[in-house]
Amino acid sequence: MFKPHVTVACVVHAAGKFLIVEETINRKALWNQPAGHLEADETLVQAAERELWEETGIRATPQSFLRLHQWIAPDRTPFLRFCFVIELERQLPTEPHDSDIDRCLWLSAEEILQAPNLRSALVAESIRSYQQPERYPLSLVGSHDWPFSA
């Protein structure tokens, strides 16, 4: 049976910049959107909110759904990555609560798209998706008869 990893990511935008988290993996500083795995007792939106807070210290709810990426990592690990959009009025200060995150950066789309140190190709692809006009309501990925409290 095919069992891909289910992850969420947030494209966080404010004042023309995007929020990126930096983490060191195999002694390399790599950039990613605030992102991580879906936990068993949470909805996709709750997972996005949790990952954003853990990795940046920012509490915010996605306003829209951007894209679902089906992807196979270079190590052949399959992923389904649900990507959300969070528009902030201004660039907020960050304080990561996840010890894997070294720092957070507010960067332009071009800085991200040209960076040689993206954690995966999905980081740039999410920015390119954001640059397109399509946004979808969160109800597109809504839960049904969810047994856990909100």
Side-chain angles (χ1 to χ4, degrees), residues 36-71:
H37 284 84
L38 174 69
E39 299 294 333
D41 63 346
E42 63 190 0
T43 66
L44 291 164
V45 171
Q46 289 169 339
E49 292 170 339
R50 176 186 51 77
E51 287 292 347
L52 178 69
W53 183 82
E54 286 178 1
E55 295 191 356
T56 71
I58 295 173
R59 290 200 186 272
T61 297
Q63 291 101 359
S64 59
F65 176 64
L66 183 62
R67 181 111 189 247
L68 169 62
H69 292 103
Q70 184 174 359
W71 183 64

Side-chain angles (χ1 to χ4, degrees), residues 77-137:
T77 303
F79 286 89
L80 292 176
R81 187 181 197 244
F82 292 81
C83 191
F84 297 91
V85 173
I86 297 176
E87 294 283 353
L88 299 175
E89 290 183 21
R90 59 184 175 85
Q91 295 172 18
L92 298 175
T94 59
E95 183 181 340
H97 298 277
D98 182 334
S99 61
D100 290 336
I101 303 301
D102 299 327
R103 64 181 178 153
C104 301
L105 305 160
W106 287 98
L107 302 170
S108 70
E110 281 307 308
E111 289 173 298
I112 298 165
L113 294 173
Q114 295 177 10
N117 61 325
L118 301 181
R119 179 155 181 197
S120 80
L122 290 181
V123 178
E125 185 59 25
S126 296
I127 297 299
R128 285 190 286 275
S129 293
Y130 176 90
Q131 292 174 325
Q132 301 303 310
E134 293 86 14
R135 301 284 186 279
Y136 304 97

